[in-house]
Every structure is written in C-alpha cells, then in structure tokens.
Amino acid sequence: MKNTSSQDFVRDNAQYPQTGFNRKRAKLSFERMVDMAREMGLEDPLFVCHERAAKSTACIDGKEYINFSTYDYLDINAHPEITQAVAETAARFGTSAGASRLVGGERPQHRLLERAFADLYEVDDAIVYVSGHAANVSTLGFLFGSRDAIFHDGLAHNSLVQGALLSGAERYSYAHNDCASLEEMLKKHRAEHKYAVIVTEGLFSMDGNIPDLPRIIELKKKYNCMLLVDEAHSLGVLGNTGRGVREYFGIDPRDVDMWMSTLSKAMCGCGGFIAGRADLIRYLKYGSPGFVFSVGMPPVIATACYKALEIMLREPERVRKLQKISKYFLSYARERGLDTGAAQGYAIVPIIVGESMTAGFLSQALYRRGIYVMPVSFPAVKEGTARLRFFISASHTEEQVRQTIDAVVEEIPNARKIVEDYRKTHQLEMNMSESETEM
C-alpha cells in the first residue's frame, strides 16, 4: 500500500483545480507551508507511528523517546485491570455495538458509563457519544437555532466553534478568559435572542489556563443563559480527586447546564459525553444527530472508560502526582527563561517561540535528541504565537523534565537561526504577503 505524503497529495491533485477545494485558499494555508518547509529541509512531523502504548516514553522505529504528546494524564492507559476487563467484554460482546443505540446497539456498558458520569457530576443523567468532537458539534448544532445566541471563548476548541456554526445561531466570540468582554457582549446582544448559551473550556487546550468559572456562572444567571463547560482537559487533571473544574472551584455542579468531556484523555478511550438534567439528556438521546444516526460506542471502549474512571477515583494520588510534576515543569521552564504564556501548571504547558517554522525546526531538533513533542502553528493558534505544546503525564519524572527543558533552551537559537538564514538568502518574509492574502 502506497504511503502518500502531504507533498504527494498537493502535487498529484494540482491537475484538478476546479474540484475538491478552493485552490487559492489551499495555496495560502497548506501548500505554501509544505513547499517552504521542504525547501528549508524541515521533515514532516505528522503521522509518526508509535509501536506501543504511549506513556512518558514512546517507541518509534525501534527507538525510545521521552514523550510529551500523549493524553494519558493519569498514567492509566494499558492498566492491567483495563486490559483484562476489555478482553472479557470483547469475548462476550465483540468489538462493535453493531447498530445505533436506538435500534439495537444498546448495551449494559453504555448504561453503566452514563450512570457513572452522572454520579461523578452529581446531576441526573448523561449521554455518551461515539466521538468527543461530535459530542460538541451535535449537541450545540441540535439544541440551538437561528433565533438563538452562542457566546464562546475566543480560544474555544474547534468542536465548539463548529457546533456553533452548525446551529445557525448568532455566534459571539469574547476575548479569551475575559469575563468583562463576555459581559459586554451579553449586555449588548442577549436581549436580541430567544435562547443563549455560554461556552467555555475547563482547562484550555492551547494555553493550559483555567477560566473564572464562578464569575461565568454569575453572568449566566444574570443574563438568563445556559452554560456548557468542556472538560476535555480538566477531567482527571483539576481538583483534589480529578473531578475537574467544579471541584477546583468548589461550585454547585447544577449551576452548569451541560458538563462535557471527551473520553480520550484521562479516561483512556475515545468518545465524549454530556451530563446534565434528565429532560435535557432525554431530548438529546431522541434527537441529537450525532447520537441518533451514529453507531453506538463499542462496548469494549465503554468498559475501558468505566474502569479508568474507577481507577482515578480509587487512586487520587495519581492526580496529585500529575499536578506536582506539571508545576515542576512550569517552574523549571520559567526559571530557564522560556515563554510559557498563560499556563498555570496543570497537564498542559506551551513553550511559545513565535514563528511557525521556528516551532517546526525546534520540534525536529528535539526529536533528533530523543524527545517527542509536536509543534502547534497557525491556524490552530494566532500567527506569531506558534509553540511546542507539552502534554504532561503522572508518569513523567523530574529528570525527564530537566533534560527536555535544557534541550529546548539549547535548540531554540539554532531553530531561529535556520529561519533567519533562509530569509536572508531568499529575500522573503515567512508570513503570507498582503498580495497573497487578497487573492
């Protein structure tokens, strides 16, 4: 089977400019970046194949790397209790639910998992989707319409933005983590709409910071809004026992209408859920397209997530260990003079380097030194704020952190020099020119 690279895709499809996607737009965003990277000698960092479970270390092409690109925050993935439970479930139920849950795909594992998350959040019920991204897209897209409004944080995850777009509701993006900006928009626009929802993350996936949830709850009550909190990166990470941002702040869980999280992070599976009032969950189960028209979650995945939650609650020391090593990473990075942005030291720490190409070359240099961490560049983040994003696990050690941070400090000047030398040689700017932007 041919392994088609991103460069091959661009070249092979050049003869079909009228089909697929807008050629000019692609040239500005994807093809130009790929071409420039290749000219500069930057290897494609995407789709690297790991040969075993990704923990604090990963095995790639037979070589071991310190790994900072895993969501396994609590070091639970591949836990023997999970693998045993999954094997037992597979022996009885197979590897597929076999159908949409409404028409034959319902299994005991679904009900157990939904009850567990409802109990975790001390709310009535929960609904489990087969995809975390789809959980947000389908929930927002189904619940809200053209007469409504969705107020979301400026750095909200793509799934939240896509759900807002799908809904047809008026979309208002307030300044990141800025409740004054949110209230200004609510004052100006809330009265224009029938229903409204405020959307935020419990721990922001790019910056690693936490919203002022108590203040957001005050605003949601004052302006008669619903509230959805996406806990993809805060479940298992925040709070003394990993119960997330509501435990972190000590708030009443019923002050939030929809608790959402993926199951691919601390829960070691895939999928997502919404937890909330019984009437809301029932409405979603009978109408949300991403649930109704999708096959049910495989029972083996539901079992894995259920066991991961059980282990998290039984062993809160995992949460404390994660928080301790995360704080160490942040403090050591700052001590070495690195820009960690707004990170607060909870599982996600960015090291901001500025230009996209600089981030790419820095990632490549670290990879050659046995450290695996991925670059994040425009359009995932604003131009000029490209970074390496470090996902930290309870399994990481202080020695691994020091070795990594020291390597970053040594390699940043080299990465910047490569980019600067290329500029001087080719007499061009790395960012898109004004003329190209207007194409």
Side-chain angles (χ1 to χ4, degrees):
M1 181 176 178
K2 182 181 177 182
N3 183 17
T4 304
S5 70
S6 54
Q7 294 94 332
D8 291 335
F9 176 85
V10 172
R11 183 191 63 246
D12 295 344
N13 285 275
Q15 58 183 308
Y16 304 115
Q18 74 280 15
T19 62
F21 56 85
N22 185 293
R23 180 83 176 152
K24 292 180 180 179
R25 180 172 160 188
K27 182 176 178 61
L28 292 178
S29 59
F30 177 71
E31 182 183 351
R32 185 175 186 275
M33 186 69 74
V34 169
D35 288 345
M36 187 176 294
R38 185 173 62 249
E39 287 177 15
M40 297 173 69
L42 180 61
E43 298 172 8
D44 189 346
L46 306 178
F47 301 107
V48 172
C49 190
H50 296 246
E51 296 165 358
R52 65 170 188 242
K55 310 292 282 184
S56 63
T57 61
C59 184
I60 303 168
D61 291 333
K63 179 180 176 182
E64 189 168 273
Y65 294 79
I66 301 175
N67 181 32
F68 286 98
S69 291
T70 176
Y71 296 147
D72 187 20
Y73 293 136
L74 297 179
D75 190 25
I76 294 176
N77 189 33
H79 191 289
E81 288 184 31
I82 295 178
T83 55
Q84 180 181 345
V86 164
E88 292 170 358
T89 300
R92 180 174 179 183
F93 292 93
T95 56
S96 171
S100 165
R101 285 175 58 185
L102 272 72
V103 294
E106 189 80 357
R107 299 293 183 269
Q109 291 82 5
H110 300 137
R111 298 184 180 186
L112 280 172
L113 188 60
E114 288 172 343
R115 185 71 259 155
F117 283 122
D119 291 345
L120 181 76
Y121 283 96
E122 301 177 41
V123 294
D124 299 337
D125 205 353
I127 175 175
V128 169
Y129 290 82
V130 76
S131 158
H133 192 280
N136 278 332
V137 172
S138 193
T139 297
L140 290 172
F142 175 64
L143 291 180
F144 302 96
S146 59
R147 298 173 62 189
D148 306 325
I150 297 176
F151 298 85
H152 67 78
D153 188 284
L155 292 186
H157 188 264
N158 172 271
S159 59
L160 298 167
V161 175
Q162 293 302 315
L165 291 170
L166 177 65
S167 73
E170 195 71 34
R171 184 169 62 93
Y172 301 99
S173 175
Y174 61 91
H176 175 52
N177 238 357
D178 187 339
C179 287
S181 172
L182 171 58
E183 181 162 27
E184 182 180 346
M185 289 187 176
L186 289 167
K187 280 181 180 178
K188 186 174 181 181
H189 300 291
R190 174 61 186 97
E192 301 169 5
H193 303 280
K194 184 177 180 181
Y195 298 112
V197 61
I198 301 169
V199 176
T200 188
E201 296 183 35
L203 178 67
F204 287 94
S205 60
M206 287 297 171
D207 283 37
N209 56 339
I210 302 167
D212 186 353
L213 191 56
R215 177 59 180 151
I216 293 175
I217 289 172
E218 289 177 7
L219 293 174
K220 100 109 183 182
K221 292 178 178 179
K222 180 177 179 180
Y223 292 94
N224 189 27
C225 299
M226 296 180 72
L227 175 58
L228 184 153
V229 178
D230 180 336
E231 289 227 88
H233 294 275
S234 49
L235 176 62
V237 173
L238 300 182
N240 292 329
T241 62
R243 284 176 165 83
V245 70
R246 64 107 170 183
E247 184 178 33
Y248 177 87
F249 284 112
I251 66 170
D252 182 344
R254 292 183 180 271
D255 282 338
V256 173
D257 300 276
M258 291 173 278
W259 291 103
M260 180 273 170
S261 183
T262 58
L263 300 172
S264 58
K265 281 47 173 200
M267 296 298 102
C268 303
C270 67
F273 68 86
I274 301 286
R277 297 191 316 273
D279 58 343
L280 173 67
I281 300 304
R282 188 181 308 113
Y283 187 57
L284 290 172
K285 283 191 174 182
Y286 281 93
S288 177
F291 182 84
V292 173
F293 298 103
S294 173
V295 69
M297 173 180 285
V300 290
I301 298 298
T303 292
C305 297
Y306 182 83
K307 291 299 294 184
L309 179 60
E310 189 177 77
I311 294 167
M312 181 192 85
L313 295 175
R314 187 184 72 213
E315 301 176 9
E317 61 270 18
R318 291 177 180 269
V319 179
R320 293 191 288 271
K321 188 176 180 183
L322 168 65
Q323 293 172 355
K324 182 179 179 182
I325 193 65
S326 298
K327 293 288 187 185
Y328 181 80
F329 187 105
L330 180 64
S331 64
Y332 190 64
R334 288 178 174 171
E335 179 184 319
R336 294 303 314 270
L338 297 173
D339 182 0
T340 56
Q344 292 178 240
Y346 290 99
I348 301 166
V349 179
I351 292 180
I352 301 169
V353 298
E355 293 185 280
S356 296
M357 288 298 179
T358 301
F361 278 106
L362 179 57
S363 173
Q364 181 174 280
L366 294 175
Y367 186 73
R368 289 170 177 163
R369 294 178 64 156
I371 300 164
Y372 184 72
V373 58
M374 292 294 289
V376 180
S377 58
F378 179 84
V381 294
K382 291 181 181 179
E383 193 64 69
T385 65
R387 77 269 320 262
L388 300 187
R389 181 171 54 161
F390 291 82
F391 293 114
I392 302 163
S393 168
S395 60
H396 282 118
T397 67
E398 290 188 0
E399 174 56 33
Q400 288 172 328
V401 169
R402 286 193 300 272
Q403 180 180 338
T404 298
I405 296 298
D406 290 345
V408 170
V409 171
E410 291 174 16
E411 294 295 347
I412 282 180
N414 300 330
R416 287 178 173 152
K417 187 175 186 304
I418 292 171
V419 175
E420 189 61 33
D421 287 348
Y422 183 87
R423 273 184 168 164
K424 290 176 180 177
T425 302
H426 291 77
Q427 297 290 303
L428 56 80
E429 291 293 326
M430 302 300 297
N431 299 330
M432 292 181 294
S433 69
E434 183 177 343
S435 61
E436 287 176 317
T437 304
E438 292 174 353
M439 286 175 61

